[in-house]
Structures are given as C-alpha cells and as structure tokens.
Amino acid sequence: MVAAALEEKIIKESDRFFCENGNYKVANRVIHEAQRKRYGMLAVRDILKYSSNIGSAKIAQKMGKEKFYDYIQKFGFGEKTGIDLLGESSGLVRPVNKWVPVDTAMIAFGQGISVTAIQLITAVSAIANKGVLMKPYVVRGVADKNNRLVKLYTPTVVRKVVSPNVAKRLTNMLTEVVSAPDGTGKSARIVNVAVAGKTGTSQKFDFKRGVYSSEKVRTSFMGFFPADNPQVAILVMLDEPQRDKWGGVAAAPVFKNIGEQILNCFKTNIRETPVFEENPNKVALVSTQQTLAPQEVVSDDESIMPNFVGLTLREAMKKAQTESIELKISGNGWAVSQYPPAHTPYGEERVCNVVFELNN
C-alpha cells in the first residue's frame, strides 16, 4: 500500500498523517491501534516503523479505493501465483465495486482480505527485486534416471509493479523497521547484516460470533537481506501463538534465528565480518568450556579427527574443507565442543558436529 502510494506520487516519506490518538471512526467502525497505542502526527516512515493501523488507513484513503485495488492485483493478491505445488489457493479479494465504505481503510492493515503465504513472500520479493514480481517455483530442474536434464525452470517475470526507485525507497523504510531502537521489527536484527522487513498481526475471523476475534490471531514477520543487495527472503507465520500475540515479539525472533542458520550453514558472501560485538570495557573472550593443555597435540595422521574447539566459524569451515570433512554447525561465535572429539579415528563418514557459542 505504501509502495503504491509512493509510485503514484500521492505521498512521500516525510509526509505526516494525524493518527487520531488511537481512535479513528470510519463509517460505522472505530479503528484502533495495536496494543491500544495512541499516536498523534506520524511521518510515513514512522507509520511503517510503528505499524500504525490508522496511519495505513489514511494513506489508503488518500490514494482512493480504485488505485488501491489496482495495486493489490498488481502485487499478485487475489490470484494464484502458479507455483509448482498442488492445491494453491487464490486467497480472497472482493471486487472493488463490492467494497463497502469501511473496506479501503480496513484492507490497508489486513482486515477484509485473505491472502496466502506464497502470495505474501512473492509480493515482498518484488520489492527486493527492484519492483519486479517474479513467478515462484520450488523445483529448479527435472532429471531422468541417468541424471540427464529433462526440464529446467528459469526465473520468470510476471510484471513490473513499481519502479526501482520506489522499491529502493521502500526498502530503506523497511530497514528502519528493523534497525531503529523503537522499530516493531527490532527482534529480527541479524548481526552485521542489514535486514528490511515488516511485522504483521492479523485477527482471525470468528465465524460463530460473526466478528474478528481479539484472542485468535496470526502473527508474522517477512523480510529480506542484505537490504542493499537482497539474496534471501523469508516469511515466518505463527498461527494462534499461545504466549506472544504480536508479530514483532513472536515471529521476528524466529526470522532472526532462521537467517542466522542460513548464514552459518550455507556458503554466502552476505556476512564477511566475524559475528561478535566489540566492547573496549570487556576483557578478551576466552573459552571456559575447555581445559588448557600444556601442549596442543598435533598429528599428521589423516585418519583422525582434527580439533575444532576454539576456532571461529570461518576458521573451522576452512579447516574442515582442507581436511575434506563435512561440518554440521550449531550456533555461532567460537567452537566450544565437537563430536566426534578431536584425535579420535574417523567413522564410516568424515562428519563432525560442532557447537559454537558467543562467550560474553
């Protein structure tokens, strides 16, 4: 919705909207902010950062329902993406001529519309792809029993949704959602990686009562990184979380953990800097999990497991590659334990499980 308004030059980042101190009457409904927050004047970038329902509603109203509906369709909502999976749903987007007066405002923050997870991740990927919507696919290619390539799937452009300039401007605002100390997505931060993302909390419709439930919700966080050269997009959705009811609290930390595992387990050029925070007031980091031996055991025997304990993640991966060992990694920082232990004979497979931790 913000991307659409930017593209149509209806708003700019610094434009300010009065968010009615948390109560905004539209037709026969009163719109509130999540967690009963009360906002006054907010700039567009702050409407995103604080996830203001009322600010979003006012931007959509300024744009008008016809243009708003047009961009809902352009981003792929209301139609199947064509992904190579059976049973895909098109979601539910009512034709604009059947919208009631409150719909423009409500749809702006996720009510009165039903979308699928694959539609959401495809739409946010369009922002990462400089405004171009792509067709998602799961299988890259199909080979026969002799490993000969039978069919190859290649990236397919669906349509251009917004300009590269607008996509970049929106990405900058989404980065603030995560990087700002008061951003709703701050729990999705990944050390030394710029993340662009957005929280989401949607009330589920209670069909028995005919209203949206205040207890049953879906929380989400979707985003991509690195923000300046996107390579990974992730959507986390939690259905009816029992403890934390908000996307920034429940789903954002899951996004962070998945992102960290991707960076640790796959070879990428996304994060070249070691994962630790320097603090000049702290003493140097040492591992208390291991006992210092008088002398490190060194062996040229290629049939025994090398010692990874004490190495950084990058050092361990380099050593494992040199020794032709498959490394199974857990955590980040410095290696604190491994199995099989160092200096024991290899088993049938040259595999070592190594646990890394940040020692503060």
Side-chain angles (χ1 to χ4, degrees), residues 207-282:
F207 288 95
K208 290 183 179 179
R209 297 168 54 206
V211 296
Y212 282 96
S213 172
S214 59
E215 297 298 322
K216 296 180 179 181
V217 299
R218 281 196 184 94
T219 65
S220 64
F221 186 91
M222 61 180 181
F224 52 86
F225 60 85
D228 57 349
N229 180 28
Q231 297 180 44
V232 178
I234 302 171
L235 166 66
V236 174
M237 296 188 72
L238 305 177
D239 189 25
E240 296 187 25
Q242 297 303 301
R243 189 176 63 178
D244 300 314
K245 304 287 187 181
W246 308 104
V249 180
V254 181
F255 177 100
K256 169 191 169 74
N257 291 339
I258 294 172
E260 289 281 7
Q261 288 299 314
I262 289 172
L263 294 174
N264 290 340
C265 297
F266 296 94
K267 187 176 181 180
T268 72
N269 61 352
I270 294 175
R271 181 168 65 189
E272 296 294 337
T273 311
V275 185
F276 63 90
E277 296 180 4
E278 293 185 8
N279 187 333
N281 298 321
K282 289 186 178 181

Side-chain angles (χ1 to χ4, degrees), residues 15 32 43 78 85 114 133 164 181 191 201 204 216 223 230 280 303 307 311:
D15 285 353
H32 302 285
L85 291 173
S114 175
L133 189 75
V191 179
T201 303
K204 297 180 71 172
K216 296 180 179 181
S303 65
N307 187 10
L311 301 182

Side-chain angles (χ1 to χ4, degrees), residues 175 178-179 190-196 224-229 270:
T175 304
V178 179
S179 63
I190 298 174
V191 179
N192 297 330
V193 177
V195 174
F224 52 86
F225 60 85
D228 57 349
N229 180 28
I270 294 175

Side-chain angles (χ1 to χ4, degrees), residues 97-142:
N97 59 5
K98 293 186 177 180
W99 287 17
V100 297
V102 75
D103 277 338
T104 304
M106 301 289 278
I107 291 173
F109 58 90
Q111 289 191 0
I113 186 173
S114 175
V115 302
T116 68
I118 195 63
Q119 287 173 340
L120 281 172
I121 194 64
T122 302
V124 77
S125 295
I127 301 301
N129 287 325
K130 300 181 180 179
V132 177
L133 189 75
M134 305 293 291
K135 179 181 177 180
Y137 59 95
V138 177
V139 177
R140 187 177 182 183
V142 178

Side-chain angles (χ1 to χ4, degrees), residues 131-337:
V132 177
L133 189 75
M134 305 293 291
K135 179 181 177 180
Y137 59 95
V138 177
V139 177
R140 187 177 182 183
V142 178
D144 62 18
K145 63 180 181 181
N146 297 316
N147 207 30
R148 288 192 297 263
L149 192 63
V150 175
K151 188 171 185 178
L152 180 65
Y153 295 94
T154 56
T156 303
V157 174
V158 178
R159 70 181 72 92
K160 179 183 175 182
V161 183
V162 295
S163 67
N165 175 261
V166 165
K168 183 178 180 180
R169 290 162 63 191
L170 183 60
T171 296
N172 290 338
M173 287 190 279
L174 293 175
T175 304
E176 285 186 32
V177 171
V178 179
S179 63
D182 55 348
T184 53
K186 61 186 177 183
S187 296
R189 292 177 196 157
I190 298 174
V191 179
N192 297 330
V193 177
V195 174
K198 183 70 182 71
T199 60
T201 303
S202 61
Q203 295 170 284
K204 297 180 71 172
F205 194 77
D206 188 332
F207 288 95
K208 290 183 179 179
R209 297 168 54 206
V211 296
Y212 282 96
S213 172
S214 59
E215 297 298 322
K216 296 180 179 181
V217 299
R218 281 196 184 94
T219 65
S220 64
F221 186 91
M222 61 180 181
F224 52 86
F225 60 85
D228 57 349
N229 180 28
Q231 297 180 44
V232 178
I234 302 171
L235 166 66
V236 174
M237 296 188 72
L238 305 177
D239 189 25
E240 296 187 25
Q242 297 303 301
R243 189 176 63 178
D244 300 314
K245 304 287 187 181
W246 308 104
V249 180
V254 181
F255 177 100
K256 169 191 169 74
N257 291 339
I258 294 172
E260 289 281 7
Q261 288 299 314
I262 289 172
L263 294 174
N264 290 340
C265 297
F266 296 94
K267 187 176 181 180
T268 72
N269 61 352
I270 294 175
R271 181 168 65 189
E272 296 294 337
T273 311
V275 185
F276 63 90
E277 296 180 4
E278 293 185 8
N279 187 333
N281 298 321
K282 289 186 178 181
V283 297
L285 294 171
V286 295
S287 174
T288 58
Q289 284 86 351
Q290 56 178 316
T291 303
L292 294 175
Q295 186 174 359
E296 177 66 34
V297 178
V298 179
S299 173
D300 294 328
D301 188 346
E302 294 184 355
S303 65
I304 66 172
M305 185 66 68
N307 187 10
F308 293 103
V309 174
L311 301 182
T312 65
L313 184 59
R314 183 177 299 179
E315 290 169 343
M317 292 179 70
K318 187 175 181 180
K319 189 168 189 175
Q321 186 177 19
T322 302
E323 301 281 346
S324 298
I325 297 169
E326 180 186 349
L327 215 58
K328 293 190 175 180
I329 295 166
S330 174
N332 59 54
W334 285 264
V336 296
S337 64

